[in-house]
Structure formats: C-alpha cells, structure tokens
Amino acid sequence: MRVKVFINTVLLSVMLLSSNAQSKADVYYEIANSIDIFGKVYKEITLNYVDEIDPREFMLSGIKGMLDALDPYTVYMDESNQKDIEFMTTGKYGGIGATIGLRNDRVTVVDLIEGYSAQRQGVRIGDVIVKVDSMELDEKNYDDLSLYMKGDPGTLVSVTIEREGVDEEIVFNLLREEVEVKNVTYFGFVPKESNNAYFKLSGFNRAAGEEIKKAFLELRTEKEIHSIVLDLRGNPGGLLDAAIDVADKFLNKGDVIVSVAGRDTNDITKYYADEEPIAGEVDLIVLIDKGSASASEIVAGAVQDHDRGVILGEASFGKGLVQNVIPLTSTTSLKITTGKYFTPSGRSIQKTNYLEESEVFVDSSGNLLKEEFRTDHNRVVYSGGGVQPDTTVSNNSESELIRSLLAQGIFFQFATTYFNTNENLEWQNLDQEKIFQDFKSYIVEKDFGVSTKVDKILRDLKKEFENGSFNDSVQERFNEFESELQKQKRNELDYYKTEVLAQLHKEISARTDGRIGRVEASFNYDNQLDTAVRILGSRDSYLSILALAEQQ
C-alpha cells in the first residue's frame, strides 16, 4: 500500500513538473511568435504607409500602447527620465533648486529650495519660465523640462522669465548645483511651548530614515520629547527600503514592517524592524490623507497593525504595488510593477483593480475585496481602499467655491501679484480686511470665471437659450437667477472669510519665508494637526483609540 502511494506521488510530481515545463514552453513560443508578428507589422507600416513615418517615434508609440494595458506605474523611461531615476534613489540632482509646475497652462516656478542658485539670484515663486537657453517653453514641451533644466553641477543655464508687475522679460544666468532635496522638510516642537515633536516627511529617498533620526536627536537636545506627530500628508512615497528604514525608527525590533509577493504568491519576502527604535515608547500619531501613497502607506499600515500609534486624517491613496527599475540601454529603462505589498496583518491596501480594466491578463479577477483583518491588539482593520484612519478628521473646505479657487490656483496667483507689487509683506503687519477686499476685487478684475457645479449647469442652459429653446420670459428669469447666483458667490466669500485669509496667509508666507514660512503659517489653520495635539495631550483619549486603556 505504501509503495502504491509512493508511486502515485512520484507520478503526480512528474506530471506537475511536466505541465509546468510545458506551460513555460508555450509562453516562450507565444513571445517569439508575437515578436515576429509585431516586427512584421512595424516594418510594413514604417516602409509602406502612405505618409512617411518616424521609426523611433512609431516604436515608442507601440511601447506606450503595450504599457497602457497594464497599471499606470509600469512605464518606459527614456533619456529625459534618467536624471529623475537618479533623484528617486539619491534625493540629489544637478539643477537650480526650483520646483516647476503648470499654472494655467504656463510653466511656473511653484517653489524654491533655500540656498540654491534660483533663490540666491532672485527667482521668485510665481515667475513664468518662457525660455531655457534657446528653447522656448510652453505646456506642449513641459514634459521634457528635465532635459533643459537639469544638468551637470557647475554648468550654466539661461532662464528667461516673465514676472507679473514687470514689463520686460528677465534673464537669469543660473549655476547648476548638486541639489539635495530633504525628505524631512520641517521639524520642531508644535506648539512651540509643548513637548510634542512634529516631523513633516515629504518623500522617501534613501536618506529618509536617517533624516528622521537626526531630527529627533536634535530636538531631544532642546528638551524631552513626550509625543510625536509624523506628518505623511501629501507624501507620494518613494523607495521601499526607505519606508522600511523610517518604520524601523518607531516599531519594536523584530516587528514585521511589510511583506512583498511577486507573481509567485508562495514566494513572499518579509521585512522586519532590525534595530532598536529611537522613539519606541513615545506616543505617536501619524497624519495621512488621499495624497499619502506607496511608502507612506507602508509606514502608516505598519504603525496601525502593530497598534504603535494612532492614524489620523483621511483615507490614503491606495497604492499597494511595488516597482523595480530595469535598465534597457545606457539611456533607457523600464519601471515595472514586480510585486504587491501587504501590511503586517496581511492586508493589501491597493484600491484600484487594474486587472479588470484590461484584457491582457490571464486571470482578471484580482483580490481587492474589502476583507477584515486584525491588529496586534485585535482591533479590526480592512483591506482595499488605502489605509483607513483610526480617527477621521478632514481639512477640506465645506465651500465648493473655496475648493474651486484652490483648484484653479487663484490664491497662488493673487499672492504672486501681491508680492510683486507691494513692499509691506509681513503677514502680522498686514491689514487683513484690506487684503481680503483686494482679493475679492482681484477675482472680479481678472474675470477668472470661478467654476462650480451650478456654473456648469448654467453654461449648458445658456447654450439652450442660444439655440432658441426658451421664450423671452424664461430668458429674463434665467438672467435674474444668474445675477442672484453671482451675488451669492460674493456673500459666500464673506461667509468663508477666515478660510480665504488662511489660504492667503500660507501663500504670502511662502513668498516671504519659503517652505518653512508656508508650513508654520499652516499651523494656524490645521484642523487635523490641532486634533492630533489634543489627543496626545490626553493619555486616556490616546489609549482609548488604540483600545489599550483596559490593559494599563
């Protein structure tokens, strides 16, 4: 009987190995056959299409088409992205120390790093870059900006800008330097008289964990630290190793931080905290929002699953996928999703199931169901949909008008104009009533057409009027309604005056005192941070959220 069982087992093993070998052979055959077909199609179209084809661009469009069938994090990276890869890993790049973005389809300086060439030589937030060397810039070639702006330290780049309030263009000859972007963009005691240490972590390059440690030790020389707020809001993530290193500073040695599984779900790599934490016994609150993604979610998920601290704010972004960068040539790479990560309790926080959105996957069912998991102290947490906070607190405005003003960058633009046309810029010395009235006048003068949902409906109705769909009586009543709506908008600005001034305070402070000025101004209006400080000030409140009160 035992011999028979043994023989059956051997036969089954041989069949499985044979099946696996056959499956791999089939895959390799399909790859070879598909490459052959693709090559023939590419060659025929490139040589025989009625209009001349650029072979390189045509191939790139084919690569992009393939990758579009996958998740948005699997991308082809050409020479214009190579410096970005170096920055992702080291946090350093050769540049002028300015953050550039699109504002109203114009290439605009949105932030400056203190101490580097752009800030030293007088470039301002809000300046519009129209030319780099001899290359004119607009929204069409914005994606190639790194090719023009970044370069070897010690080289010069000519930047031509337009500045509101100045008639002539201004040309800056800026020296490229090795710019080091800090992960910890602010740290200090908040409130200043308290023993609560606040760390704003904005990225996860290789130095992130060491920066947290250094900042913690520096604050501890000033006074004893009783509690910590780790701010991960708006942090889009970065390197897996950096997330592990940051979590290492707060979790107990030996705790699981994250698990990563590739295509073979039986092959799971677990990462553990391997050093004694610098802040292992200090009460901790981690702030998250919908902009907290990837590495931020790894840290927040580990803190939550081990009941190490309270997660406060809003649900995180929901990116539970891991990427590797694979070099293809000396100037090109492929960033490819190679794994999924799981928090210590075993949950995936991935929100979107990309498998269901494409036909290229063999099994499109995925596994993004909302399932129940348990923390170390048996609290219930759920998979899917990002990291859910233990305490939900919003910083978002209740006013759609205020949200629209933010989305359209109108506070940013007003602050730029104000900074360029006024001498008195210290917020505490400003007449806040006057600046509020100036802001309202600015909106009317510039005719921004602030758009809400109701405005969109009205625009559609106007088109119907233009088509003669309604009589004059209805048209008259519509005009009255539209006029009343504009009046209500003005009244709404008055009603939310405190929020308007809060946004102006942050933007103007950023012009006068840089990133630190913006952060410190935001403390005055930060509902989430205020709530965190209140909870940390009450030991019972803190422990009750973590369901630990009965164990003390």
Side-chain angles (χ1 to χ4, degrees), residues 56-76:
R56 182 178 182 277
E57 289 300 321
F58 188 42
M59 175 59 74
L60 290 177
S61 68
I63 292 172
K64 184 179 183 299
M66 281 194 297
L67 300 184
D68 282 347
L70 307 175
D71 63 83
Y73 313 112
T74 298
V75 293
Y76 173 78

Side-chain angles (χ1 to χ4, degrees), residues 411-427:
F411 293 110
F412 179 94
Q413 293 174 59
F414 174 81
T416 298
T417 302
Y418 192 88
F419 182 74
N420 290 334
T421 55
N422 287 272
E423 294 182 1
N424 179 18
L425 295 166
E426 293 300 323
W427 183 259

Side-chain angles (χ1 to χ4, degrees), residues 65 120 134 357 360 363 409 420:
R120 289 200 314 269
S134 60
E357 300 177 358
V360 304
D363 179 9
N420 290 334

Side-chain angles (χ1 to χ4, degrees), residues 359-370:
E359 297 179 355
V360 304
F361 299 104
V362 176
D363 179 9
S364 62
S365 61
N367 185 27
L368 298 182
L369 297 176
K370 187 174 182 179

Side-chain angles (χ1 to χ4, degrees), residues 100-101 106-110 112 118 122-130 160-164 170 172 412 416 419-420 511:
I100 315 297
R106 307 207 72 190
V107 183
T108 306
V109 178
V110 297
L112 294 168
V123 175
R124 295 180 178 180
I125 295 174
D127 284 348
V128 175
I129 301 177
V130 294
T160 303
I161 65 106
E162 291 179 357
R163 177 175 293 168
E164 191 164 356
I170 305 173
F172 291 92
F412 179 94
T416 298
F419 182 74
N420 290 334
R511 305 304 192 281

Side-chain angles (χ1 to χ4, degrees), residues 296-421:
S296 292
E297 294 172 298
I298 289 175
V299 173
V303 168
Q304 188 174 53
D305 282 3
H306 288 301
D307 298 294
R308 171 60 189 87
V310 172
I311 309 301
L312 187 148
E314 299 170 289
S316 63
F317 180 82
K319 178 180 180 288
L321 305 176
V322 179
Q323 287 75 44
N324 280 338
V325 176
I326 300 172
L328 300 176
T329 67
S330 60
T331 58
T332 62
S333 304
L334 178 67
K335 183 156 74 82
I336 178 174
T337 298
T338 56
K340 301 173 183 178
Y341 76 76
F342 301 87
T343 68
S345 66
R347 58 188 167 130
S348 167
I349 53 82
Q350 177 65 25
K351 181 183 293 185
T352 305
N353 187 359
Y354 298 107
L355 303 184
E356 292 182 344
E357 300 177 358
S358 175
E359 297 179 355
V360 304
F361 299 104
V362 176
D363 179 9
S364 62
S365 61
N367 185 27
L368 298 182
L369 297 176
K370 187 174 182 179
E371 296 181 276
E372 184 179 298
F373 291 81
R374 297 280 175 166
T375 69
D376 287 358
H377 292 108
N378 210 35
R379 291 190 302 136
V380 176
V381 288
Y382 295 96
S383 63
V387 175
Q388 300 295 323
D390 302 313
T391 298
T392 300
V393 181
S394 176
N395 264 358
N396 295 327
S397 174
E398 296 178 359
S399 166
E400 186 185 357
L401 178 60
I402 297 295
R403 294 197 299 270
S404 181
L405 289 168
L406 277 168
Q408 296 180 59
I410 294 175
F411 293 110
F412 179 94
Q413 293 174 59
F414 174 81
T416 298
T417 302
Y418 192 88
F419 182 74
N420 290 334
T421 55

